[in-house]
Amino acid sequence: MISLSAKQPLFLQFKRNVLEELKKRNLKEGDKIPSENEFRRDFDISIRTVRRALLELEKDGVLVRCQGRGTFLKKLKPEKTASKIVGMLFSSMDIITRPSIADYLNGIEKSCEELNLRCRMYPVGRRFGDNGNLESLDRIVPLSDINGAVILSPLKREDILLLRKQNTAFVAVHKYHGFNVKVAATDYSEVASLAVNHLAGMGHKKIAFITGYSNPGNEAAVLVNDNLAEKASELAAELNISIDIKFSDHTEQSGYTAAMEVLNSGNPPTALFAIDESLTRGAANAIFDKELKIPEDVALLGSGNLRFSSINIPSRENGRNAIAMLNEIISGKQPEKCVVITHPELIVRSSTNFIRKK
């Protein structure tokens, strides 16, 4: 039975159900199994969940797909494999819908496939800030079953200590105060520099930055958004311009709300920068709803594969770098670098291509 409240992702729950169903039907090697749509209808789940579960069973050697013919039983008992298992730790299933995180995961999965590693996804809850009594990490993630982990969402200090105590190899997106953590990420100070220097160079004196979560207290994780805000404020002082930092929850709605708030202020900015694709969409909608023109009234610098000027984050490359580092660690090697930093790219389009009078 599939439970939405269970900690295990839906596709892993359904994968177990598929195995049970195939056993009940007494299928033999070479028999055709039900179609994706039949599984979707019988179990009342999304086609995406069905496909992900069947793909996992194909990787396990249980199923084989034949284009134009269907999917067939290969061996009901999964083949034993020496493949190492990598756990991907993130706060919730919502986070993997963000384009940047989806790209990071794509890089992870491609590299795992090339290196004969297995991926497992573990939503561990938001583990920074005041979130009450969280379950111990080892009650959510079977640490003894994985060979290493990629940490996509920030963990608490006690989580890092537990991973160290259990000798679990890991690579993270964030740095951690007091810990020598191996990191594969982009330098968000460089993102801030590209954004500020570009917009200030176009004559903007008042800029709003719409970014993601900030560190809510004395947490171990050094959030990338904090690095961005710190560098932006530093450059604003040097250039004698004003930068208003707005933190958000990375949703399109929060991007809209933050942009509308600054645009409705008594002294609105002449330029907006949004750190990811969802926030950029929200900010653009706010500008349109205010019946303002881009870039004549408000310049818009965003991120992602949109039609606006953007700062692109090489998230897929970050994912590949994370697996390369982790594979060296779990293979008993010492990585050449403890921190692998990629560089963002500024792409200028018409949404910022307007020189303002000094």
Side-chain angles (χ1 to χ4, degrees):
M1 180 174 291
I2 294 176
S3 171
L4 294 175
S5 61
K7 295 292 184 183
Q8 193 177 44
L10 292 180
F11 76 90
L12 289 180
Q13 296 181 54
F14 179 62
K15 176 184 174 183
R16 184 175 63 248
N17 287 356
V18 172
L19 287 171
E20 292 172 356
E21 182 68 18
L22 296 179
K23 289 176 183 177
K24 286 179 185 176
R25 296 188 181 209
N26 293 319
L27 296 180
K28 300 181 180 64
E29 184 176 346
D31 286 347
K32 188 174 182 179
I33 72 166
S35 69
E36 292 177 350
N37 282 323
E38 287 175 307
F39 276 129
R40 178 188 61 78
R41 184 192 63 233
D42 293 344
F43 288 87
D44 193 25
I45 55 175
S46 72
I47 196 72
R48 181 181 177 185
T49 299
V50 173
R51 286 174 180 164
R52 185 67 190 270
L54 296 183
L55 178 61
E56 289 291 320
L57 288 170
E58 187 178 10
K59 290 179 180 177
D60 288 344
V62 175
L63 304 177
V64 59
R65 297 191 186 202
C66 300
Q67 182 128 17
R69 294 178 56 209
T71 303
F72 298 83
L73 182 64
K74 189 175 179 182
K75 289 186 179 180
L76 192 53
K77 187 176 181 181
E79 294 177 346
K80 291 187 176 181
T81 174
S83 296
K84 294 182 174 65
I85 298 175
V86 173
M88 292 177 282
L89 279 53
F90 51 91
S91 58
S92 68
M93 297 303 287
D94 289 340
I95 192 176
I96 64 176
T97 63
R98 297 180 199 164
S100 59
I101 299 297
D103 282 345
Y104 202 108
L105 288 172
N106 185 274
I108 287 175
E109 290 178 339
K110 290 293 184 185
S111 287
C112 282
E113 185 177 337
E114 293 167 4
L115 294 168
N116 193 31
L117 300 173
R118 300 282 304 284
C119 294
R120 288 288 180 266
M121 301 173 72
Y122 298 100
V124 298
R126 182 173 171 179
R127 306 184 72 81
F128 68 99
D130 185 12
N131 292 305
N133 296 321
L134 289 170
E135 281 190 278
S136 176
L137 187 64
D138 58 352
R139 291 180 63 86
I140 303 171
V141 183
L143 298 179
S144 60
D145 292 347
I146 63 175
N147 298 94
V150 178
I151 303 171
L152 294 165
S153 299
L155 298 182
K156 287 186 170 293
R157 185 179 302 275
E158 51 264 38
D159 295 328
I160 300 297
L161 289 171
L162 176 63
L163 291 172
R164 291 279 169 83
K165 182 179 179 180
Q166 298 287 345
N167 293 318
T168 303
F170 63 92
V171 174
V173 171
H174 306 87
K175 296 180 180 179
Y176 288 81
H177 293 297
F179 294 98
N180 183 23
V181 171
K182 293 174 176 58
V183 175
T186 297
D187 183 357
Y188 273 68
S189 295
E190 192 173 343
V191 173
S193 296
L194 287 175
V196 172
N197 288 325
H198 174 62
L199 294 173
M202 301 302 287
H204 295 282
K205 297 291 186 182
K206 185 171 178 60
I207 304 167
F209 268 39
I210 304 175
T211 184
Y213 298 111
S214 66
N215 199 324
N218 185 26
E219 300 287 337
V222 182
L223 301 190
V224 293
N225 298 310
D226 292 328
N227 288 336
L228 179 133
E230 182 180 351
K231 185 63 176 181
S233 299
E234 176 187 315
L235 289 171
E238 292 177 8
L239 298 171
N240 194 29
I241 61 176
S242 172
I243 294 184
D244 187 6
I245 307 290
K246 294 293 182 183
F247 294 101
S248 75
D249 62 2
H250 282 285
T251 62
E252 186 173 322
Q253 180 58 49
S254 67
Y256 180 93
T257 301
M260 194 61 79
E261 181 181 336
V262 296
L263 292 173
N264 284 331
S265 65
N267 184 20
T270 60
L272 290 174
F273 168 57
I275 192 60
D276 69 17
E277 194 167 314
S278 297
L279 295 176
T280 303
R281 286 197 190 93
N285 289 335
I287 294 170
F288 297 147
D289 285 354
K290 289 286 292 181
E291 297 184 350
L292 298 173
K293 294 180 180 179
I294 300 174
E296 292 85 354
D297 298 318
V298 184
L300 179 59
L301 176 62
S303 180
N305 189 26
L306 299 173
R307 66 183 185 275
F308 308 110
S309 292
S310 64
I311 295 179
N312 285 349
I313 311 297
S315 299
R316 192 167 303 184
E317 183 182 350
N318 289 336
R320 296 184 72 90
N321 288 339
I323 292 301
M325 293 174 69
L326 187 60
N327 186 54
E328 288 186 332
I329 298 168
I330 62 182
S331 298
K333 302 175 184 176
Q334 183 63 32
E336 292 183 13
K337 297 180 180 179
C338 289
V339 178
V340 179
I341 298 297
T342 57
H343 302 287
E345 178 187 12
L346 172 66
I347 298 176
V348 179
R349 299 187 178 97
S350 60
S351 67
T352 59
N353 193 18
F354 183 81
I355 303 293
R356 292 192 168 262
K357 293 181 180 179
K358 302 289 184 179

